[in-house]
Amino acid sequence: MDINTKKLKKNAFRVTKKRGIAASRVRVPGGLCNAEVLEQVAKIAREYGDGSVHLTTRQGFEIEGISMEDMDKVNALLQPIIENLDINQTEPGAGYPASGTRNVSACIGNRVCPFANYNTAAFAKRIEDAIFPNDLHFKIALTGCANDCIKARMHDFGIIGMTEPQYDPTRCVSCGACVKGCDSLSVKALHTENFRVVRSHEKCVGCGVCVTKCPTRAMTRSGRKYYRLTIMGRTGKRNPRLGEDFLIWTDEDTIIKVILNTYKFVEKYIDPKAPGGKEHVGYIIDRVGFQEFKKWALDGVDLLPETIVKDNVYWSGIHYR
């Protein structure tokens, strides 16, 4: 069997332990799809796989047991899925165009969850449209609030939804529910003075717990969507660590520009001798320096007046020697 494994991997197929057998990786931006996609995945699994499908940690499907010789046939069957999910492609009918940048993952968001501050799937799709196709290795995750159900801080870019609580004292009955909620479930950013609620702007993480606890709607979410952007979290063999805050109280446009600028940064500084032509972006920043990354990341970016930019970022994590 003469198989170009480099092409196979770029086509988002995984080389398995069994000779001549691959697995097709199906990307689902933001983890949201309709039932038709499930039916199409099942059809491929039954006809060309071994009947099993793995739900991946990045919210995609991995169709197991596909013969490498059937790759072109499977790609043809993937086309309706690609169109259904509106995924960028360079050659219709040829499957996925790149397997470098990983699927953009997201929690369920405010379509369902009362704690989420924004539509995570919609923002994930916007990011997907901006960055794919791409062979560089990036991991991006979006979570609706500071509960961080998607584990955003374990990714190169973690996007955490925020809201600036809006307080209407005319609706407040001084029940203290918001203060109790913030004390027990968040960061103790609220207190009362003269029977009115006072918020500490320095302590508030924009989680929205006070909004969910208020029985009279004296606390509501801000009309503007805000985000906390964390950077360079990672797992792996060397120095796993949590991502640290880079921008706080930022917006969607800024986040997308920072991510796109980071691709340019990586293209400039990636080690040409890196295995497989890939070097984790976090290791590049460690090697080149945060200030150089920051210069690239914020190039041409118009920040909101309220955005907090970290002067420096200090990562720790576990060090293996």
Side-chain angles (χ1 to χ4, degrees):
M1 183 183 300
D2 184 17
I3 297 292
N4 185 335
T5 56
K6 185 175 181 180
K7 176 185 175 183
L8 183 141
K9 292 177 182 178
K10 182 177 173 61
N11 213 174
F13 283 81
R14 182 192 297 279
V15 177
T16 71
K17 294 169 66 175
K18 189 174 181 180
R19 183 173 177 82
I21 298 298
S24 175
R25 290 177 283 182
V26 181
R27 192 169 72 247
V28 183
L32 179 65
C33 67
N34 56 37
E36 290 181 11
V37 170
L38 304 181
E39 293 169 352
Q40 292 158 342
V41 167
K43 174 181 173 66
I44 297 173
R46 285 193 296 263
E47 294 184 4
Y48 289 97
D50 61 12
S52 63
V53 178
H54 177 72
L55 302 180
T56 74
T57 59
R58 299 212 61 79
Q59 300 181 319
F61 302 107
E62 193 160 297
I63 306 171
E64 312 291 343
I66 296 173
S67 170
M68 294 180 183
E69 294 179 329
D70 290 331
M71 188 171 74
D72 290 339
K73 295 177 183 177
V74 171
N75 277 337
L77 288 176
L78 287 172
Q79 186 61 28
I81 297 176
I82 292 171
E83 293 174 358
N84 189 314
L85 295 173
D86 191 26
I87 292 172
N88 291 339
Q89 57 184 341
T90 53
E91 186 181 347
Y96 292 98
S99 62
T101 290
R102 299 300 188 249
N103 186 53
V104 181
S105 304
C107 76
I108 200 165
N110 70 357
R111 295 174 300 104
V112 176
C113 180
F115 298 105
N117 292 310
Y118 71 106
N119 187 329
T120 53
F123 192 10
K125 187 62 179 67
R126 186 182 174 195
I127 294 173
E128 143 96 17
D129 290 342
I131 66 176
F132 276 100
N134 204 301
D135 285 325
L136 295 177
H137 188 118
F138 279 32
K139 291 179 180 177
I140 302 168
L142 301 89
T143 192
C145 71
N147 286 339
D148 194 9
C149 295
I150 198 67
K151 304 299 183 289
R153 288 187 181 273
M154 297 175 71
H155 295 71
D156 299 311
F157 291 102
I159 300 164
I160 302 172
M162 304 178 70
T163 189
E164 184 179 28
Q166 305 297 296
Y167 177 57
D168 181 356
T170 65
R171 298 184 68 93
C172 182
V173 295
S174 302
C175 67
C178 60
V179 177
K180 292 176 184 176
C182 191
D183 283 354
S184 61
L185 299 175
S186 193
V187 295
K188 300 183 178 181
L190 302 179
H191 69 277
T192 57
E193 292 181 8
N194 297 322
F195 303 100
R196 289 294 181 258
V197 178
V198 178
R199 180 173 65 96
S200 168
H201 295 271
E202 291 75 22
K203 293 182 67 175
C204 179
V205 295
C207 65
V209 165
C210 56
V211 175
T212 65
K213 295 299 181 182
C214 180
T216 64
R217 290 188 57 79
M219 285 285 191
T220 55
R221 288 185 171 90
S222 53
R224 181 188 284 276
K225 302 295 183 183
Y226 290 105
Y227 305 89
R228 180 185 303 266
L229 179 64
T230 71
I231 58 173
M232 305 312 132
R234 65 187 181 216
T235 55
K237 303 179 187 70
R238 281 193 297 157
N239 187 210
R241 65 195 187 190
L242 292 179
E244 296 283 349
D245 292 350
F246 178 38
L247 304 178
I248 307 172
W249 304 108
T250 189
D251 63 338
E252 289 191 11
D253 290 345
T254 294
I255 289 173
I256 289 178
K257 288 178 182 177
V258 167
I259 293 172
L260 292 175
N261 282 344
T262 302
Y263 277 101
K264 297 176 184 177
F265 167 81
V266 171
E267 289 170 352
K268 169 69 174 179
Y269 287 111
I270 190 170
D271 183 355
K273 297 179 181 178
K278 291 182 174 61
E279 184 181 15
H280 194 287
V281 59
Y283 294 125
I284 299 174
I285 294 174
D286 292 347
R287 174 165 51 81
V288 176
F290 172 76
Q291 293 302 327
E292 181 66 11
F293 162 75
K294 183 178 178 181
K295 181 181 73 176
W296 282 75
L298 297 181
D299 181 48
V301 173
D302 295 321
L303 296 168
L304 299 177
E306 57 267 44
T307 298
I308 298 171
V309 184
K310 292 296 182 178
D311 293 330
N312 214 328
V313 174
Y314 303 95
W315 290 278
S316 55
I318 300 170
H319 291 267
Y320 295 108
R321 302 184 185 279

